[in-house]
Amino acid sequence: MPDALFALPASIDLAIVGAGPHALTLVTHLLQKKKSMRGRFLVFDPRGTWMSQWNHQFAAFEISHLRSPAVHQPDPDPHALRTFAEARPDELFPPYDLPGTRLFQDFCQDVIRRWQLQTCVYPAQVTRMMPFSHHRRSRFCLELSNGQTLIARRVVMANGGSIPQVPEWVEQVVTPYPNDRLLHSGRVDLRGLQLQGERVLIIGGGLTSGHLAIGAIARGAQVFLMARRRVYEKLFDADPGWLGPKYLKDFWAEPDWSTRWQMIQQARNGGSMTPAILTQLRRLQRDGKIVFYEQCQVRGARWSGEHWQVCCNNSAVHECLHNQKIDRIWLATGSQLNATKHPLLKDVLDTYPIEVVKGLPVVDEYLRWQRCELFIMGGLAALQVGPTARNLSGARAVSDRIVPALTKSSLALS
Ligand SMILES: Cc1cc2nc3c(=O)[nH]c(=O)nc-3n(C[C@H](O)[C@H](O)[C@H](O)COP(=O)(O)OP(=O)(O)OC[C@H]3O[C@@H](n4cnc5c(N)ncnc54)[C@H](O)[C@@H]3O)c2cc1C
């Protein structure tokens, strides 16, 4: 863990947990609204720098460009990234000016520099968040991974919030196996991998599967890509109609939280690949480098000592994978959002119980937990913000709700 550039204060007005794109968006919007917030907040992240998890993921999966257009970025000026890219037009990719990975990273560094945010990330993980009452006002005691503690008047959770989704059969593998032979995608790093002659089974039909398949094939592997459903193409995670009133009007008019949850599922509709990636994969399929096992799931797997033997549940339709000696399995099965399983929310849920619908907390319109000054960013805020809550566009929508509550005393809890 990097050393802190400054001493930790005993207390702070606002603690922000996580230094990813959501936190960065919140901070620029907050400072734009109220300059005097400078010096009144601290951001916590174990890696000690902004955007490290994002940068790591893009590098580890060798992603060339974003899925979302240039308008979605952390600066309050919606044109800021386009202006920044004027001298680098070949780093905006069709069809809708999708920023290249390097361009986006450089732009974020520019945002951090312009808003003078280089020194506000404290290098520690928040390991526990204990709410308490001080003169009948809500406060939080944050425990950090370096053993220190601090009191925060208000907290924003901007830590991504999701837990890797692992299929049930993984728990039932009885044979011991080398750790690196069965990995969730979050632990796969294509860089430095040599896969010549290996067979890699990738589970999942989303864009991460696509990136990993292309990376594995480029390193000499044969890939089997297994998906519960038919692999299908879609430009964005959710239809752009979800960015404005077109769909959000009905979503906000819906009073039933479970129905809202269903609307979110329908809008995201599981994992999907971009047309560009799927076209690339179909070409590799024709070259025999990848085999698709669609509408298919793993029934069980055992490690023989040298290889995986895998059975699927749909062997009537295609030749079962059982005959293939698989060297590695990668689970591109996404992540789950569940407030009740989130370690940081345990004490908060005990002290301030709240309705949780299919894992998502029912927070107020400012994305504030009931009866305390805890604010939620990212996918956990989806019941209020809609299906794009976890995306870059969601970061702006979320900030638009949280910033007023952080800056107007009339909106503070008594
Ligand atoms: C490979 C990939 C590509 C994506 N591409 C796009 C895209 O092109 N466009 C788009 O709109 N969306 C995209 N997304 C979805 C989404 O925008 C990203 O997941 C984004 O990183 C979410 O931002 P975040 O700040 O919520 O989370 P993160 O980027 O995950 O940042 C959270 C930070 O919190 C830190 N943290 C976690 N727990 C703690 C703790 N207890 N204490 C302190 N710090 C903590 C982590 O170290 C991390 O740095 C992509 C997602 C993935 C996985």
Side-chain angles (χ1 to χ4, degrees):
M1 198 174 285
D3 287 336
L5 291 170
F6 48 86
L8 187 73
S11 65
I12 189 95
D13 177 4
L14 175 63
I16 301 172
V17 184
H22 273 246
L24 186 56
T25 308
L26 176 80
V27 165
T28 60
H29 285 69
L30 182 62
L31 291 173
Q32 151 131 323
K33 193 82 196 157
K34 195 168 174 183
K35 284 198 184 66
S36 61
M37 280 305 291
R38 186 171 292 287
R40 284 172 56 187
F41 64 87
L42 266 184
V43 184
F44 294 89
D45 199 296
R47 303 192 202 203
T49 54
W50 287 103
M51 301 293 292
S52 50
Q53 170 70 6
W54 171 283
N55 292 343
H56 168 79
Q57 270 166 348
F58 273 69
F61 298 172
E62 296 184 331
I63 304 177
S64 58
H65 59 77
L66 274 68
R67 189 175 194 173
S68 51
V71 66
H72 304 307
Q73 43 76 25
D75 196 89
D77 171 5
H79 306 294
L81 176 47
R82 272 179 186 286
T83 310
F84 184 80
E86 267 167 15
R88 301 164 67 171
D90 50 340
E91 290 180 64
L92 291 175
F93 290 75
Y96 290 107
D97 287 347
L98 312 176
T101 301
R102 185 71 218 211
L103 173 73
F104 191 77
Q105 277 176 14
D106 290 350
F107 170 73
C108 288
Q109 286 311 313
D110 187 59
V111 171
I112 293 161
R113 186 189 54 78
R114 277 190 290 111
W115 290 93
Q116 296 166 27
L117 302 171
Q118 296 93 330
T119 54
C120 58
V121 182
Y122 188 87
Q125 184 185 0
V126 177
T127 49
R128 197 165 172 196
M129 187 161 70
M130 289 170 293
F132 66 99
S133 193
H134 180 72
H135 298 306
R136 300 184 44 218
R137 290 179 182 217
S138 108
R139 293 285 184 275
F140 297 88
C141 175
L142 302 189
E143 279 181 12
L144 306 183
S145 46
N146 62 7
Q148 295 193 266
T149 56
L150 129 140
I151 306 297
R153 185 162 84 88
R154 309 178 287 181
V155 176
V156 175
M157 289 258 297
N159 59 346
S162 57
I163 309 160
Q165 175 90 44
V166 175
E168 266 174 35
W169 61 262
V170 175
E171 309 298 327
Q172 288 150 17
V173 175
V174 287
T175 47
Y177 57 87
N179 274 339
D180 64 337
R181 294 306 169 119
L182 171 57
L183 292 177
H184 187 271
S185 58
R187 293 178 55 215
V188 176
D189 193 337
L190 288 169
R191 295 167 295 176
L193 271 185
Q194 174 50 260
L195 302 173
Q196 197 62 43
E198 289 199 18
R199 294 184 171 91
V200 181
L201 170 62
I202 303 177
I203 318 269
L207 191 54
T208 296
S209 277
H211 287 306
L212 290 181
I214 289 166
I217 292 167
R219 284 165 174 74
Q222 152 123 51
V223 167
F224 303 97
L225 195 151
M226 185 182 283
R228 260 187 309 192
R229 306 186 313 179
R230 283 214 168 279
V231 175
Y232 78 107
E233 60 178 51
K234 198 163 71 159
L235 262 180
F236 306 118
D237 280 340
D239 187 290
W242 282 103
L243 298 173
K246 184 173 172 194
Y247 296 140
L248 283 173
K249 200 160 49 71
D250 289 345
F251 181 77
W252 288 327
E254 174 54 59
D256 183 70
W257 299 113
S258 301
T259 310
R260 281 201 195 190
W261 183 84
Q262 274 157 11
M263 292 166 91
I264 295 164
Q265 305 310 306
Q266 271 165 19
R268 294 192 72 90
N269 193 19
S272 60
M273 298 205 191
T274 58
I277 292 287
L278 196 52
T279 305
Q280 226 175 314
L281 291 180
R282 294 293 182 205
R283 201 175 304 134
L284 291 165
Q285 183 183 23
R286 284 196 290 279
D287 297 343
K289 296 193 169 140
I290 179 168
V291 180
F292 283 82
Y293 285 82
E294 290 170 279
Q295 295 174 306
C296 187
Q297 292 186 59
V298 171
R299 200 150 45 97
R302 64 182 295 277
W303 179 255
S304 71
E306 282 180 21
H307 297 104
W308 286 106
Q309 279 183 324
V310 178
C311 322
C312 65
N313 67 355
N314 205 1
S315 50
V317 173
H318 43 238
E319 196 191 338
C320 185
L321 265 181
H322 198 64
N323 303 319
Q324 302 285 355
K325 290 179 175 152
I326 308 283
D327 296 285
R328 296 169 196 266
I329 305 178
W330 292 343
L331 308 168
T333 41
S335 52
Q336 49 166 308
L337 290 157
N338 191 338
T340 60
K341 287 194 186 160
H342 200 294
L344 277 190
L345 291 175
K346 190 180 174 312
D347 294 306
V348 180
L349 271 164
D350 286 347
T351 312
Y352 301 108
I354 195 174
E355 187 181 355
V356 177
V357 176
K358 311 264 193 201
L360 301 182
V362 177
V363 286
D364 75 9
E365 62 187 297
Y366 306 106
L367 311 181
R368 177 169 43 201
W369 203 268
Q370 271 172 38
R371 295 183 291 127
C372 65
E373 298 277 6
L374 168 67
F375 298 84
I376 303 291
M377 297 196 83
L380 282 176
L383 286 179
Q384 286 285 7
V385 178
T388 63
R390 68 175 78 176
N391 293 100
L392 296 177
S393 54
R396 179 178 298 257
V398 162
S399 301
D400 286 346
R401 285 168 178 262
I402 297 181
V403 166
L406 292 179
T407 51
K408 288 188 194 161
S409 50
S410 58
L411 296 178
L413 293 178
S414 62

